[in-house]
Amino acid sequence: MVVSLIQNLVKIGYRASTLGLEKGSHVTRYYMYNHISKYCDSRPSEHRVLSISESGYLAKLLGYDDNQITDLTYPDVNVLNLPIQNEQFDAVVSDQVLEHIEGNPYTAFAETFRILKSGGIALHTTCFINPIHATPSDFWRFTPDALKLLACEHGEIIDVGGWGNPFIWVYNALGLRFESIPHANWHPGHWVATKNVKRWPMVTWVLARKN
């Protein structure tokens, strides 16, 4: 009860400190999404992107419109066995999905690249240092090296990396994990959300182009 009271008071103070400020995603996504957005490009209108389990926001970060996105969501469709013929899509994205796959991650990567056209891109984000979050189950954790290993046999690695730092655990303990991060550089929340200590990755990602 005391912890909950402290968290509520901290949230009130945090929200007051961000009034009038432009804000972005919450702390575990802020750096990653900003980093990925640098790959945003003008995508030909005929290009199509597959979103795995409601990952459409990633597709939009890359420059795709709503009418270019096809979403297939578990349990109706399993990424381990996609009901799609070979080389049908120009891109495939999954956002914090890989850790929940009840099966072989190599198979998941093979499937997502199988449905890509030659030259198509795959973007997968996931987590490493992160609490268990069973939706419905939580099986895997991936370092940047692990994602590179999974993707490299299928194509060229464009970008692989991670974000995190030790301070995020204090931030989370204060109940601020899902508060939007202000873009203002002076704000403590912005500092926590953008400080990156490579050996403490909370979230990780890989962007690759199919051979």
Side-chain angles (χ1 to χ4, degrees):
M1 184 174 180
V2 174
V3 171
S4 179
L5 176 61
I6 292 173
Q7 289 177 336
N8 287 335
L9 290 174
V10 169
K11 285 181 183 179
I12 291 171
Y14 180 92
R15 291 170 185 174
S17 74
T18 63
L19 285 175
L21 299 178
E22 292 186 3
K23 295 182 280 290
S25 305
H26 59 77
V27 69
T28 63
R29 309 285 179 99
Y30 186 83
Y31 179 99
M32 180 173 68
Y33 284 171
N34 285 345
H35 179 82
I36 289 170
S37 67
K38 73 181 183 181
Y39 295 103
C40 183
D41 202 354
S42 177
R43 308 292 176 179
S45 60
E46 68 273 14
H47 278 203
R48 298 172 61 217
V49 54
L50 177 64
S51 158
I52 304 294
S53 291
E54 301 178 357
S55 299
Y57 186 72
L58 277 189
K60 293 178 182 179
L61 286 180
L62 293 176
Y64 292 96
D65 295 328
D66 284 329
N67 60 4
Q68 295 174 286
I69 301 171
T70 298
D71 187 81
L72 296 179
T73 299
Y74 183 87
D76 296 329
V77 174
N78 193 322
V79 70
L80 296 170
N81 186 23
L82 293 171
I84 301 169
Q85 295 181 356
N86 295 349
E87 301 183 354
Q88 296 298 305
F89 284 88
D90 301 282
V92 59
V93 295
S94 75
D95 195 7
Q96 308 294 290
V97 172
L98 293 175
E99 66 267 28
H100 303 292
I101 292 172
E102 189 173 357
N104 190 334
Y106 279 97
T107 303
F109 267 72
E111 276 292 277
T112 59
F113 277 90
R114 178 184 65 77
I115 59 94
L116 281 178
K117 300 174 183 177
S118 179
I121 57 174
L123 172 61
H124 297 290
T125 79
T126 182
C127 58
F128 181 52
I129 305 175
N130 210 304
I132 291 175
H133 49 295
T135 53
S137 300
D138 191 352
F139 297 100
W140 305 99
R141 291 294 180 268
F142 300 88
T143 65
D145 282 344
L147 293 178
K148 184 177 181 180
L149 180 67
L150 289 164
C152 67
E153 67 180 85
H154 300 287
E156 170 197 1
I157 305 297
I158 300 171
D159 193 328
V160 61
W163 169 85
N165 61 67
F167 309 101
I168 187 63
W169 300 107
V170 176
Y171 193 85
N172 287 350
L174 292 172
L176 298 174
R177 175 165 180 164
F178 295 108
E179 296 295 319
S180 298
I181 299 297
H183 297 318
N185 293 337
W186 57 264
H187 196 279
H190 185 276
W191 182 86
V192 173
T194 55
K195 183 171 182 59
N196 196 16
V197 181
K198 289 187 176 181
R199 61 191 181 91
W200 283 83
M202 189 170 197
V203 292
T204 56
W205 63 83
V206 64
L207 177 65
R209 179 177 289 109
K210 183 176 180 178
N211 292 329

